[in-house]
Amino acid sequence: MLMSLIEDLTKAIDIQQERQNREYQEMMGKTLQERVAKGLTLANVDIDIDFYDEAPNDFCPYLNGNDRFINRVVVFCGDNVSRFREGAPVVLSNGRYRFKLSIEEDLLDKMVLVSGDFDVKNNYIDALEYPKHGWELNTENLTINQRLLGAARDRIYGNYILNDAMESMLDGTLDNKYSLVTVSASNNSSQDTATRKALGCSHFHIIQGPPGTGKTYTIARIVKILVSEGKSVFITGPTHTAINNCLNAISVLIPDKSRIVKIGEKHQAEEVLGNEYITRKTRLPITDYENSMLSRNGIVIGATPYALCYPASKKLQGWEFDYIIIDEAAQMTIPLALAAMTYGEKLIFVGDHKQLDPIMPTDTGNRLFVKSIFKHMIDLYPDHVTMLDQSYRLSKSLVRIPTRLFYGNRLGTARQADNKEFVSFRCSGEAGRILNDPANEVLYLHHEFDALGRSPYESEFVADIIFDLARNGVELGNIAVITPYRAQVREVKKALVKKGILINDSLDDVLVDTVERMQGQEKDYVIFTLANSNPVEVEDRLEFFYSPNRLNVAITRARTKFIMIGNERVFMLCQGAEPTGPVGIGMKVFWDYFNFASQIHSRSEEDEW
């Protein structure tokens, strides 16, 4: 029993790398034409390189002649249907040249790639005579994650007490208790309860935060009290965005840059760059901290779990924390969570297992790859969960479907107004029917068939709706368009430019992104374009398309009106679905949504059904 966690973690690390290697080999084994068609590769693209004037760090070798280190690369790709996204590691190649980079920006007709601190020493080329045509862009097959997780495993292996503590927590036998803690009462009793139990737990507490229920504010409130008591707190999560959002909320309650630190590169700190109350560092070993001007009487540090994985990472070498708070824990695998959990005396898991799950290998037989750390803990310790039960985002009308489909009618609304008093829009046609429909949530059903994962019809319709919203006084910054597919993101952006709503490469006004990137955000008007007329034609992605958790995220982003656009066949395929297995359960939820939603059917004369 003593070594079972070590054995399972070792196998999990190996499984993850083996699956990743196999999938990468299968991908690269396809023909170039197949890879391009599936959005796995960009081929025969033109580039332009921006170079460093001198060596960017001390690890770079001396260069001869006209060779220069690569800072950024602009990749020109006018018809980009790839699955690449910002932050993804990629390989740019052309003959004998092969550079490891990451995607800094994904624009309408080009991408901007950047050299990382580690790989920049190998990224150099003749600055005057490099080829500008015929380049290829592919995903990089990484091993760094496995090395970092291996460091976390080795930490547990060398400490039997730590091993026992993690083992008992993960097998459900940990005796977790609460001491009496008093906090100032607010108008939200569930937030007060979550705060008290987080502060009073002997080992851990679990906070479920459905959409718009003040999850981030509750974290900030807990951290403020802990820091005021002189505690050290580590804020972590599966993404830098989640961590940054927490730190921004904390800085509102603790406006003191000596007490709040973000660890990461500049592109990993985008949301906090303008915050004067947050200190940003690429690394902060304990010895550097002891010689710094940062607070000794309570501090909060935000970083991904990997920052703690010494010796594979030296970013936070030597740190041990009083509290580890894992935000968006429902998106974190157990192996990744363990990389952070072993560095804290007490643990707070915050998330919502009814929203997006982590991506992990399936059918492995390994207990660490069955559920997210949040779902695992909530199943083991249901009596140690506080659910935040009042949404400040969703009105009574907007909360109606998600509380019924996902939260057992336990999710209510803290909003007084129901948004039924909307102003009538001056517009006509199909867009006008949607915008002037009295329902706050609308399912628009059509019969147009487009390419899988990319729908010009839906994209143009989305542009029409946004055009009417804008000319009726709705600010573009209050609108979001979301979709399951990266290719549809670009298709919508093209339609918005064509419609004259946006100027090319100035696409920040309207948020257009995948559902994954929208979790944790909200807008007044949210349009969800399904962009798939026949998902059964891509059977290996049925579980992805009919994900109930992705549906939940999509339908809970709007403050005023939610609009879903999809081919009716998408829902008709779900009729009579048996709720067994992930796909069956997902299709059943989609069918229930179809029946609960306020439907508007296309009146196009070309419709045939």
Side-chain angles (χ1 to χ4, degrees):
M1 183 68 174
L2 182 63
M3 299 303 294
S4 63
L5 177 60
I6 299 297
E7 293 168 354
D8 287 341
L9 185 53
T10 299
K11 291 177 182 177
I13 294 169
D14 292 341
I15 288 170
Q16 189 162 298
Q17 189 62 56
E18 289 170 4
R19 292 283 179 100
Q20 182 175 308
N21 290 343
R22 183 167 67 251
E23 290 173 1
Y24 187 80
Q25 290 167 2
E26 290 175 355
M27 179 188 77
M28 297 307 294
K30 299 180 185 295
T31 66
L32 178 61
Q33 185 177 7
E34 287 176 321
R35 297 203 312 270
V36 171
K38 289 181 175 291
L40 304 173
T41 297
L42 286 176
N44 198 31
V45 294
D46 297 341
I47 69 166
D48 188 50
I49 302 178
D50 172 56
F51 296 95
Y52 284 102
D53 293 331
E54 54 189 31
N57 61 51
D58 295 338
F59 300 100
C60 295
Y62 174 78
L63 300 182
N64 296 311
N66 295 320
D67 283 355
R68 296 288 184 274
F69 291 103
I70 296 172
N71 182 6
R72 285 175 172 78
V73 180
V74 178
V75 178
F76 300 98
C77 41
D79 188 26
N80 183 3
V81 296
S82 73
R83 298 181 189 176
F84 298 132
R85 63 167 64 252
E86 291 174 354
V90 292
V91 174
L92 182 68
S93 60
N94 188 341
R96 65 187 178 93
Y97 299 114
R98 188 176 186 275
F99 303 121
K100 294 181 179 180
L101 305 147
S102 62
I103 300 174
E104 184 178 57
E105 290 185 279
D106 180 13
L107 302 173
L108 188 59
D109 57 356
K110 61 187 176 186
M111 286 185 178
V112 180
L113 314 180
V114 62
S115 289
D117 286 350
F118 181 79
D119 292 312
V120 69
K121 64 181 181 292
N122 300 314
N123 291 350
Y124 56 86
I125 196 172
D126 189 313
L128 300 180
E129 297 185 1
Y130 68 87
K132 294 196 173 186
H133 312 289
W135 289 81
E136 185 175 308
L137 193 67
N138 288 286
T139 299
E140 181 186 359
N141 188 24
L142 291 176
T143 60
I144 182 65
N145 291 354
Q146 275 57 45
R147 295 202 301 273
L148 290 165
L149 291 177
R153 173 204 56 204
D154 294 343
R155 174 177 166 82
I156 301 173
Y157 184 84
N159 189 325
Y160 288 164
I161 294 176
L162 190 58
N163 182 93
D164 284 349
M166 293 296 102
E167 183 71 72
S168 62
M169 181 176 290
L170 294 178
D171 67 16
T173 60
L174 185 63
D175 185 17
N176 186 51
K177 299 178 179 179
Y178 298 91
S179 59
L180 182 62
V181 174
T182 301
V183 298
S184 57
S186 71
N187 293 325
N188 189 312
S189 61
S190 63
Q191 290 182 358
D192 293 345
T193 300
T195 302
R196 284 198 306 271
K197 290 195 171 183
L199 296 172
C201 67
S202 61
H203 295 90
F204 69 88
H205 189 56
I206 306 164
I207 302 173
Q208 183 184 2
T213 52
K215 170 177 66 70
T216 306
Y217 168 76
T218 303
I219 291 174
R221 188 179 176 192
I222 293 167
V223 171
K224 179 185 179 182
I225 297 171
L226 291 173
V227 169
S228 71
E229 295 174 348
K231 305 291 187 184
S232 60
V233 183
F234 183 64
I235 298 286
T236 192
T239 67
H240 285 280
T241 297
I243 298 164
N244 295 340
N245 289 339
C246 277
L247 294 180
N248 278 329
I250 292 167
S251 72
V252 174
L253 302 183
I254 310 175
D256 182 350
K257 68 181 301 182
S258 74
R259 290 171 174 254
I260 308 174
V261 181
K262 171 62 198 296
I263 304 297
E265 306 299 330
K266 183 177 181 180
H267 69 277
Q268 297 167 334
E270 181 179 355
E271 293 82 6
V272 302
L273 289 179
N275 193 325
E276 62 179 318
Y277 299 121
I278 297 177
T279 296
R280 189 175 62 82
K281 291 183 174 293
T282 55
R283 59 186 63 205
L284 186 64
I286 194 70
T287 52
D288 290 359
Y289 165 69
E290 290 170 349
N291 295 316
S292 74
M293 300 297 292
L294 296 169
S295 170
R296 302 292 184 281
N297 189 27
I299 192 168
V300 55
I301 298 176
T304 61
Y306 297 127
L308 294 170
C309 295
Y310 179 81
S313 170
K314 298 180 174 63
K315 291 181 180 293
L316 288 172
Q317 180 183 352
W319 276 90
E320 302 278 347
F321 292 89
D322 295 312
Y323 269 78
I324 303 284
I325 299 179
I326 303 178
D327 189 25
E328 300 292 1
Q331 291 189 62
M332 188 175 286
T333 64
I334 296 175
L336 181 56
L338 281 168
M341 289 163 61
T342 61
Y343 286 86
E345 181 180 347
K346 297 183 180 182
L347 303 170
I348 307 299
F349 302 94
V350 188
D352 182 12
H353 56 298
K354 299 298 183 179
Q355 297 186 60
L356 292 173
D357 297 316
I359 299 173
M360 56 186 169
T362 57
D363 303 321
T364 65
N366 189 303
R367 61 171 172 154
L368 303 185
F369 281 141
V370 176
K371 308 170 184 175
S372 70
I373 183 62
F374 190 84
K375 183 66 164 62
H376 185 82
M377 292 295 292
I378 210 169
D379 285 347
L380 286 176
Y381 302 99
D383 295 334
H384 296 264
V385 181
T386 301
M387 175 177 153
L388 308 180
D389 57 15
Q390 295 295 307
S391 179
Y392 293 85
R393 174 190 307 154
L394 304 175
S395 65
K396 184 177 180 180
S397 295
L398 290 172
V399 83
R400 176 180 64 91
I401 293 179
T403 192
R404 185 171 179 179
L405 283 182
F406 303 106
Y407 299 105
N409 290 314
R410 293 175 59 204
L411 179 62
T413 177
R415 291 179 55 172
Q416 299 300 314
D418 197 25
N419 289 332
K420 287 293 185 182
E421 67 285 358
F422 66 91
V423 177
S424 179
F425 288 97
R426 300 189 310 277
C427 50
S428 59
E430 296 294 88
R433 290 178 65 205
I434 290 175
L435 294 178
N436 284 315
D437 191 277
N440 293 105
E441 47 77 27
V442 171
L443 171 59
Y444 182 85
L445 299 163
H446 64 84
H447 303 142
E448 297 286 338
F449 281 81
D450 286 317
L452 299 176
R454 183 168 63 155
S455 172
Y457 168 79
E458 291 186 12
S459 299
E460 292 172 8
F461 191 32
V462 166
D464 289 341
I465 294 171
I466 295 176
F467 180 82
D468 280 341
L469 284 171
R471 71 188 183 123
N472 278 272
V474 176
E475 294 184 5
L476 295 179
N478 292 329
I479 305 170
V481 182
I482 52 178
T483 177
Y485 303 106
R486 193 68 191 164
Q488 182 68 353
V489 169
R490 300 188 184 96
E491 199 70 27
V492 169
K493 289 180 177 180
K494 290 178 184 178
L496 293 174
V497 171
K498 181 180 177 182
K499 193 78 175 178
I501 300 168
L502 300 175
I503 300 173
N504 195 16
D505 287 347
S506 298
L507 299 169
D508 292 335
D509 289 338
V510 178
L511 192 157
V512 185
D513 217 324
T514 58
V515 179
E516 282 78 359
R517 299 294 283 268
M518 188 65 183
Q519 178 157 323
Q521 300 189 65
E522 59 184 40
K523 296 287 183 180
D524 287 346
Y525 293 86
V526 175
I527 307 170
F528 184 31
T529 162
L530 291 175
N532 195 331
S533 300
N534 190 9
V536 296
E537 291 187 12
V538 193
E539 292 186 5
D540 61 335
R541 302 202 78 196
L542 269 180
E543 187 175 340
F544 167 86
F545 184 80
Y546 286 118
S547 163
N549 291 29
R550 184 173 286 102
L551 177 66
N552 185 27
V553 172
I555 66 178
T556 55
R557 299 305 98 193
R559 292 186 294 246
T560 300
K561 189 154 190 149
F562 171 75
I563 302 165
M564 182 187 292
I565 302 172
N567 190 296
E568 189 169 4
R569 178 177 172 81
V570 165
F571 297 94
M572 291 298 104
L573 290 169
C574 301
Q575 189 174 15
E578 292 293 330
T580 57
V583 175
I585 292 172
M587 295 179 80
K588 175 64 167 56
V589 172
F590 265 67
W591 181 245
D592 288 340
Y593 173 79
F594 174 81
N595 287 303
F596 295 157
S598 303
Q599 298 180 10
I600 296 180
H601 291 259
S602 167
R603 291 193 307 205
S604 171
E605 294 180 357
E606 297 177 0
D607 277 355
E608 294 181 3
W609 188 249

